[in-house]
Amino acid sequence: MENQVPWLPIFERPQLRWPEEHRLAVWVCPNLEHYDYLPPPQPKRDPWPRMPHPDILGYGEKDYGNRVGTWRLFQVLEQHGIRATASGGLTCFSRYPEILEKCLELDWDCMCHGFENTSYLWDMPLAEERQLIERACSVFESQFGRKLKGWFSPAASHTDNTLELITEAGIEYFCDWYHDDQPFPIFSDKGAIITLPYSMELNDVVARLRGMEAVDFARVVRDAFDTLWEEGNDQGRVLCIALHPYVSGQPHWVDTIDKLFDDLRREPSVWWATGAEISDWYYRTMFGSVVTLTGARK
């Protein structure tokens, strides 16, 4: 694994500059997911551990996101002029076509977050996982009318084969690693693609699991933004804000999220980008030189 993800401290890398000399690239990732009411047995993790299935409380909380919370987030992001990158479970778009239609209407970007967020990749046989990824690429193209560029495994599950299989499928960026503040090359036997910084720290679900309220989450995002913006004067940085409609779309959260974006959108020298835009820029301007440098260090 160390050879897959070379270590190169950020101060030794070629200088990364964003378009128009912006210091910081910010991408917003609403996770649009479907959770099975009665999921298949999962040996690694029970998605509904509270009681014997069906878990009405657990399922209902997630269902709220698609019924109500998603529409609040659509409204907030649209009014702030933010073109988001959905972390999309493809079953969500097929079961709830109004959500897909709104994503297309707003011209949102999307990376694939598997199919259902109750179906994990852990321990999946190689041939089965290859088939799933190939099917995801095909379904995504039929839904969005374009090639799939980004991958984030469902529920952050993955196997030792995932990187090689998504590279084989022509996917260009991978979000299962949370190890950097910049895009960075990652290698497999099928070649090199990039990891793109997703965040478990600036993630509303993780924040809530840590006992944080919306105002605490907004403060953490603001603090991270300020640090990365300062550091970006010397070496461009990436900030990912990961949202879930069943959390940030709640009535007691959404006003704080609205105010957070109102605050951040006032700051200069920030590139509000999509995952594909950040990935495309990095491939054009940095990828080759960093691959050469990391290859020389192996």
Side-chain angles (χ1 to χ4, degrees):
M1 186 58 69
E2 289 182 3
N3 287 333
Q4 286 186 315
V5 191
W7 183 81
L8 185 65
I10 198 164
F11 63 86
E12 290 187 9
R13 301 174 193 173
Q15 190 175 50
L16 173 59
R17 287 298 182 201
W18 298 122
E20 300 179 16
E21 295 298 309
H22 288 321
R23 297 180 175 201
L24 179 63
V26 178
W27 65 311
V28 180
C29 295
N31 287 264
L32 307 183
E33 303 161 333
H34 172 71
Y35 289 74
D36 283 323
Y37 179 67
L38 287 171
Q42 304 283 346
K44 289 288 188 182
R45 173 184 172 187
D46 185 350
W48 305 129
R50 191 182 69 92
M51 63 171 79
H53 299 175
D55 180 349
I56 301 301
L57 176 62
Y59 177 82
E61 176 190 52
K62 305 303 190 298
D63 195 33
Y64 180 90
N66 292 324
R67 291 172 178 268
V68 183
T70 297
W71 306 98
R72 291 195 179 112
L73 289 185
F74 278 140
Q75 183 177 17
V76 165
L77 294 169
E78 183 178 13
Q79 73 185 20
H80 290 294
I82 296 172
R83 183 169 167 247
T85 301
S87 173
L90 302 184
T91 300
C92 177
F93 300 129
S94 60
R95 290 181 68 98
Y96 317 118
E98 295 88 350
I99 293 178
L100 174 60
E101 290 168 9
K102 191 64 176 179
C103 287
L104 294 172
E105 176 191 329
L106 296 177
D107 193 27
W108 276 19
D109 189 16
C110 184
M111 62 179 174
C112 182
H113 196 29
F115 284 89
E116 302 86 22
N117 221 44
T118 42
S119 297
Y120 312 129
L121 302 188
W122 293 308
D123 294 335
M124 184 174 286
L126 173 64
E128 184 178 339
E129 187 177 4
R130 175 181 281 115
Q131 184 178 40
L132 182 145
I133 290 169
E134 289 174 349
R135 182 165 67 94
C137 291
S138 176
V139 170
F140 179 91
E141 189 167 342
S142 70
Q143 290 174 336
F144 283 87
R146 59 180 182 265
K147 176 180 177 291
L148 175 61
K149 289 193 171 186
W151 182 271
F152 177 32
S153 297
S157 64
H158 53 265
T159 74
D160 288 342
N161 300 315
T162 304
L163 172 61
E164 182 170 315
L165 292 174
I166 65 170
T167 305
E168 178 182 85
I171 294 169
E172 298 176 12
Y173 69 86
F174 190 37
C175 290
D176 284 24
W177 287 73
Y178 327 111
H179 63 151
D180 214 300
D181 287 332
Q182 290 182 339
F184 201 78
I186 184 168
F187 297 84
S188 75
D189 289 342
K190 298 297 182 179
I193 61 172
I194 62 171
T195 58
L196 191 60
Y198 182 80
S199 181
M200 289 298 180
E201 291 293 314
L202 307 183
N203 186 308
D204 55 1
V205 167
V206 175
R208 194 176 64 167
L209 288 172
R210 293 173 177 173
M212 297 167 66
E213 298 294 341
V215 290
D216 305 309
F217 176 68
R219 175 180 49 80
V220 169
V221 173
R222 178 75 227 201
D223 289 348
F225 181 99
D226 289 344
T227 297
L228 294 170
W229 189 88
E230 287 291 340
E231 293 175 345
N233 189 47
D234 298 320
Q235 181 67 281
R237 299 295 204 272
V238 174
L239 175 75
C240 176
I241 304 174
L243 305 175
H244 295 73
Y246 67 88
V247 178
S248 288
Q250 292 282 350
H252 55 288
W253 269 70
V254 72
D255 185 58
T256 301
I257 298 300
D258 182 22
K259 291 174 181 175
L260 171 65
F261 285 124
D262 185 57
D263 179 33
L264 297 183
R265 289 287 279 173
R266 298 174 188 271
E267 297 296 337
S269 196
V270 177
W271 184 29
W272 290 85
T274 67
E277 288 170 339
I278 295 170
S279 173
D280 289 348
W281 179 264
Y282 189 85
Y283 274 109
R284 287 197 304 270
T285 64
M286 296 292 295
F287 181 74
S289 59
V290 178
V291 165
T292 299
L293 183 57
T294 54
R297 289 171 58 95
K298 285 185 179 181

